[in-house]
């Protein structure tokens, strides 16, 4: 799945109530198309594609909430939120596992004991998360899709023939949203002063993702040809902030893992020492192969990754270094505002 829904020609000139629904239904179609693919074990991208489609759908509904006012009851929105959220933990754990496996060549044989222990811990968590979501989606998504499709496929509006002037378009509605979301991103980036500002950096990532999801489906339709480059830069920012967030999350995981590994090892040593027939080789092996040194070595590598990622963010975006990007976004906003209106 490309992640970009095909937008009909002239979509930006349609009323915002119509254009927002066309975009949302496109992402709903992508999610529905990915659902039967989950039954194919060889289709390794099915769950990822479905997860992305649901995220883009939620972002579209959030961005155009004014144009969609009254269309989606809170209960339906909560069901979509919960279902989209359920797809996240397994994928997030998978990303951590992939990074840890790449660390293996940088660790000594002694330290790989801790790596293997941590990988086993995370792989178990990932399997359980995926099993849960693969059971949940086929039972919950069809009814949710039906409810969303029924609500999004029709709308009512009033047209005042004596009102004069042009009616709003999806382009003008998007321009206002684009300006607001760009300011949100700017504010969150301005609040990031050090690598310890984890919450604000995470909020900046979410803002970048929302801004990208807003622009990406319509980028090719915006006159001037500059929108794809803006989307590409947003994607780069989102990815680097996402990896920075992963590093923060993994550090918390490693802190807990060291405590758990120490307690687990102490329990095994205790049980081995009190056995009626002590297993001396097992006792000696347990003492010689602790997990903690490996986990601490991984923590140092992860801290190094975290600091390098933050340095990249700081060099490209912080302390007004991203101002050129925001000027490009403002130029896109002006283009959208100047798009032909509905007569």
């Amino acid at each position: 799945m490309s992640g970009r829904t095909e937008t009909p020609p002239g979509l930006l000139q349609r009323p915002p109530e119509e254009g927002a629904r066309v975009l949302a239904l496109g992402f709903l179609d992508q999610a529905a198309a990915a659902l039967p693919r989950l039954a194919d074990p060889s289709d390794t991208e099915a769950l990822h594609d479905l997860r992305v489609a649901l995220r883009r759908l939620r972002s579209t509904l959030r961005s155009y909430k004014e144009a969609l006012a009254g269309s989606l009851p809170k209960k339906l929105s909560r069901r979509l939120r919960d279902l989209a959220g359920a797809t996240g933990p397994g994928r997030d754990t998978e990303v951590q596992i992939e990074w840890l496996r790449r660390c293996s060549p940088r660790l000594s044989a002694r330290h790989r004991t801790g790596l293997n222990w941590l990988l086993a811990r995370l792989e178990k968590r990932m399997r359980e998360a995926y099993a849960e979501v693969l059971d949940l989606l086929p039972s919950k998504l069809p009814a949710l899709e039906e409810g969303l499709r029924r609500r999004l496929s029709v709308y009512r509006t009033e047209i005042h023939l004596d009102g004069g002037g042009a009616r709003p378009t999806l382009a003008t509605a998007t321009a206002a949203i684009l300006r607001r979301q760009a300011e949100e991103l700017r504010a969150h980036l301005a609040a990031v002063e050090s690598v310890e500002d984890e919450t604000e950096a995470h909020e900046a990532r979410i803002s970048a993702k929302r801004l990208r999801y807003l622009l990406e489906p319509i980028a090719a339709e915006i006159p001037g040809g500059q929108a794809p480059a803006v989307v590409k830069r947003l994607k780069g920012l989102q990815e680097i902030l996402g990896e920075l967030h992963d590093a923060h999350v993994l550090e918390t995981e490693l802190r807990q893992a060291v405590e758990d590994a120490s307690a687990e090892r102490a329990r095994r040593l205790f049980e081995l020492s009190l056995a009626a027939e002590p297993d001396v080789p097992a006792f000696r092996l347990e003492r010689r192969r602790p997990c903690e040194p490996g986990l601490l070595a991984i923590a140092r590598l992860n801290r190094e990754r975290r600091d390098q990622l933050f340095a990249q963010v700081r060099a490209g975006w912080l302390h007004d270094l991203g101002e050129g990007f925001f000027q490009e976004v403002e130029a896109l906003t002006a283009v959208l505002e100047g798009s032909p209106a509905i007569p």
Side-chain angles (χ1 to χ4, degrees):
M1 181 182 295
S2 67
R4 180 184 182 276
T5 186
E6 293 298 324
T7 56
L11 182 65
L12 289 175
Q13 278 67 55
R14 298 191 191 185
E17 297 86 353
E18 178 183 348
R21 285 167 171 79
V22 170
L23 289 171
L25 286 168
F27 293 126
L28 186 59
D29 288 342
Q30 290 182 6
L35 181 61
R37 293 166 50 203
L38 296 178
D40 181 1
S42 66
D43 192 341
T44 57
E45 294 299 313
L47 182 57
H48 171 69
D49 288 347
L50 195 153
R51 177 179 182 240
V52 170
L54 290 177
R55 282 166 47 189
R56 289 174 180 272
L57 173 59
R58 282 197 70 213
S59 186
T60 298
L61 297 178
R62 179 186 182 277
S63 293
Y64 292 103
K65 60 184 178 181
E66 292 181 5
L68 298 168
S71 294
L72 298 179
K74 290 182 179 180
K75 182 178 180 180
L76 203 59
S77 297
R78 284 196 299 268
R79 286 167 58 194
L80 175 60
R81 177 201 64 195
D82 294 344
L83 199 60
T87 66
R91 177 58 183 165
D92 294 344
T93 305
E94 185 178 1
V95 169
Q96 300 285 19
I97 290 170
E98 290 171 357
W99 182 82
L100 287 167
R101 284 176 176 159
R102 293 198 299 271
C103 285
S104 182
R106 301 178 64 185
L107 297 171
S108 68
R110 175 171 169 260
H111 288 157
R112 289 194 187 114
T113 299
L115 174 65
N116 293 335
W117 180 90
L118 182 59
L119 284 173
R121 171 186 171 104
L122 294 178
E123 285 167 354
K124 178 176 182 292
R125 183 185 302 167
M126 180 183 70
R127 287 193 301 270
E128 291 173 348
Y130 276 159
E132 181 178 346
V133 76
L134 289 173
D135 181 62
L136 183 67
L137 285 169
S139 64
K140 298 293 185 181
L141 185 57
L144 176 61
E145 180 204 351
E146 192 276 333
L148 288 170
R149 196 174 297 281
R150 186 176 66 251
R151 292 281 186 163
L152 291 170
S153 296
V154 296
Y155 72 94
R156 298 172 186 241
T157 189
E158 291 184 0
I159 299 177
H160 298 274
L161 298 179
D162 58 349
R167 288 183 284 149
T169 63
L170 182 67
T172 55
T174 302
I177 299 166
L178 180 60
R179 180 173 285 121
R180 183 174 66 247
Q181 292 189 353
E183 286 305 312
E184 289 176 4
L185 174 58
R186 190 203 298 265
H188 287 305
L189 287 172
V192 178
E193 296 182 355
S194 77
V195 71
E196 302 298 333
D197 293 323
E198 178 181 351
T199 300
E200 285 297 340
H202 181 51
E203 290 297 326
R205 180 186 72 85
I206 293 172
S207 293
K209 178 178 67 175
R210 288 172 177 164
L211 198 54
R212 174 191 165 198
Y213 285 177
L214 177 69
L215 278 174
E216 202 162 38
I218 60 172
E221 306 298 322
I222 300 176
Q226 300 305 310
V230 172
V231 169
K232 184 177 180 180
R233 194 164 179 202
L234 277 169
K235 183 178 180 181
L237 176 61
Q238 180 189 339
E239 288 176 349
I240 194 171
L241 288 173
E243 193 171 352
L244 179 61
H245 177 66
D246 291 339
H248 279 121
V249 171
L250 184 57
E251 183 159 312
T252 301
E253 173 71 34
L254 285 163
R255 184 178 293 110
Q256 186 61 51
V258 169
E259 295 180 13
D260 293 347
S262 297
E264 184 179 307
R265 180 166 168 267
R267 283 193 298 271
R268 285 199 301 268
L269 287 170
F270 185 79
E271 291 166 359
L272 286 168
S273 67
L274 294 182
E277 297 182 4
D279 188 339
V280 176
F283 185 85
R284 289 175 176 171
L285 181 64
E286 191 68 47
R287 292 190 62 183
R288 286 199 307 268
R289 298 184 60 186
C291 293
E292 296 91 311
L295 295 175
L296 294 174
I298 294 168
R300 287 190 291 271
L301 291 177
N302 184 61
R303 176 60 70 90
E304 178 184 315
R305 169 177 71 146
R306 185 203 71 169
D307 292 345
Q308 289 174 350
L309 288 165
F310 181 76
Q312 293 178 47
V313 175
R314 181 175 54 203
W317 292 92
L318 303 187
H319 310 299
D320 295 328
L321 291 174
E323 192 56 34
F325 166 80
F326 289 107
Q327 290 175 4
E328 292 175 15
V329 173
E330 183 57 34
L332 285 183
T333 304
V335 170
L336 287 167
E337 288 174 334
S339 295
I342 300 174

